[in-house]
């Protein structure tokens, strides 16, 4: 055998025995910070909801009202009996009349994701303006059905985080969150009490408690996999803000949502990161020193995102609708 041929064969044999170098996966969702736009459904923010995603927003926020007259979930800032939004009838995402119901907004998200299957995960934030109306057939079960029917397999559900752990708290503390790569094309949904509900002293069963009760009932019936949304603690607080819930409910809250300035004023933010909880920080522009809520410079916005990432935010939101170089970024958390 010629020397050149012998070397080629020897090299090939050696290659067979050299272990392959594993490709580095992206960080887990719990280890990164993304950027989203407040009230993305508002036509003043974008003419069409899909444009928020085109522009890079990693969070879509929808204000939801249960309209018991028409038996619809309305999406609007202030009108409980009418739609006021930039959602249209999919699959046409950039044409046709807007002001559609929640299901149409979900369809827009699903169709957009279908056209962008490699997109990083999106947080869907539902603010239930007046809470649920279960006695008129617009409760947690019906909201879950809307997500199942209109987002389908795109939803990253509580059962997906739970895995073999006993509670979501155990799963989060064990950092059972998937990687960003594993969640591409997926939606993680949080749900918070709305401004009307929170200021209504007669509403003694708020969205967070009502949805958690529903989750626990589904789990007891062996149907946890049908639950689409993560119960969410609304408002920043020192210590463990889940102490307001019952002992049974507390370990099922691993998602938190609150004002960024309040988060920074509270002690122990590292506790959220240590336990790998998912933290949505709103109104990022108001953190001192305040910057413009719509058109800061790119450097100002980037610095604010980095600052809040160091303060353990999972998602940072503001009204920076036009900052297409800032919104898509993914920064290390902590």
């Amino acid at each position: 055998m010629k020397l050149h041929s012998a070397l080629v064969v020897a090299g090939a044999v050696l290659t067979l025995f050299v272990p392959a170098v594993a490709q580095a996966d992206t960080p887990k969702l719990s280890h990164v910070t993304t950027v989203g736009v407040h009230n993305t459904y508002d036509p003043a923010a974008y003419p069409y909801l899909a444009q928020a995603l085109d522009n890079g927003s990693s969070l879509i926020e929808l204000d939801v009202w249960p309209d018991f007259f028409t038996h619809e979930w309305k999406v609007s800032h202030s009108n409980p009996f009418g739609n006021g939004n930039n959602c249209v009838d999919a699959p046409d995402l950039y044409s046709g009349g807007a002001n559609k119901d929640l299901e149409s907004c979900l369809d827009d998200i699903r169709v957009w994701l279908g056209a962008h299957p490699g997109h990083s995960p999106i947080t869907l934030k539902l603010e239930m303006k007046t809470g649920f109306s279960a006695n008129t057939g617009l409760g947690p079960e019906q909201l879950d059905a809307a997500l199942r029917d209109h987002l389908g397999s795109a939803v990253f559900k509580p059962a997906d985080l739970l895995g073999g752990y006993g509670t979501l708290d155990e799963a989060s503390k064990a950092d059972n969150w998937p990687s960003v790569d594993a969640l591409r094309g997926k939606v993680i949904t949080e749900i918070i009490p709305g401004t009307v509900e929170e200021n209504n002293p007669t509403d003694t069963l708020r969205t967070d408690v009502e949805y958690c009760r529903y989750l626990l009932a589904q789990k007891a019936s062996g149907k946890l996999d049908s639950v689409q949304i993560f119960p969410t603690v609304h408002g920043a607080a020192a210590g463990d803000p889940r102490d307001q819930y019952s002992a049974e409910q507390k370990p099922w809250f691993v998602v938190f949502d609150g004002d960024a300035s309040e988060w920074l004023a509270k002690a122990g933010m590292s506790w959220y990161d240590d336990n790998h909880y998912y933290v949505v920080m709103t109104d990022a522009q108001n953190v001192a020193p305040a910057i413009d809520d719509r058109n800061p410079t790119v450097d100002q916005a980037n610095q604010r995102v980095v600052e809040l990432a160091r303060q353990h935010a999972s998602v940072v939101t503001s009204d920076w609708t036009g900052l297409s170089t800032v919104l898509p970024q993914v920064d290390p958390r902590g």
Side-chain angles (χ1 to χ4, degrees), residues 16-194:
L16 293 175
F17 293 96
V18 175
V21 177
Q23 295 296 316
D25 199 6
T26 54
K28 291 191 173 189
L29 183 69
S30 49
H31 296 181
V32 299
T33 302
T34 60
V35 187
V37 173
H38 169 245
N39 284 352
T40 18
Y41 68 89
D42 191 338
Y46 300 99
Y48 298 101
L49 184 66
Q51 292 173 321
L53 295 168
D54 291 339
N55 217 32
S57 180
S58 291
L59 179 141
I60 296 294
E61 180 175 354
L62 304 175
D63 285 358
V64 181
W65 305 78
D67 186 345
F68 48 83
F69 288 114
T70 62
H71 205 72
E72 291 179 307
W73 300 104
K74 297 292 177 60
V75 176
S76 170
H77 183 64
S78 58
N79 184 359
F81 303 114
N83 289 299
N85 57 67
N86 53 14
C87 302
V88 294
D89 286 328
D92 297 322
L93 300 181
Y94 307 98
S95 63
N99 300 321
K100 298 300 189 292
D101 60 12
L102 172 65
E103 285 85 347
S104 292
C105 297
L106 299 177
D107 287 339
D108 288 356
I109 295 170
R110 187 195 72 251
V111 170
W112 191 92
L113 283 173
H116 304 81
H119 194 271
S120 55
I122 294 169
T123 299
L124 173 60
K125 176 176 178 175
L126 302 179
E127 180 182 337
M128 306 301 291
K129 299 297 283 189
T130 56
F132 290 109
S133 182
N135 61 334
T136 64
L138 291 168
E141 182 178 358
Q142 289 75 30
L143 184 63
D144 260 11
L147 266 70
R148 280 196 302 274
D149 292 345
H150 295 271
L151 289 179
S153 61
V155 179
F156 176 72
K157 300 173 291 186
D160 299 327
L161 171 62
L162 184 67
Y165 293 92
T167 66
L168 291 182
D169 190 58
E170 292 176 11
S172 186
K173 286 178 175 177
D175 204 9
N176 200 42
W177 297 93
S179 69
V180 173
D181 271 351
L183 289 171
R184 292 191 182 279
K186 294 288 188 178
V187 177
I188 176 172
T189 306
E190 62 152 330
I191 187 169
I192 64 170

Side-chain angles (χ1 to χ4, degrees), residues 208-222:
D208 46 354
V209 173
E210 190 169 358
Y211 194 83
C212 189
R213 286 184 179 181
Y214 163 75
L215 179 151
L216 290 171
Q218 293 299 99
K219 180 178 183 294
S221 300

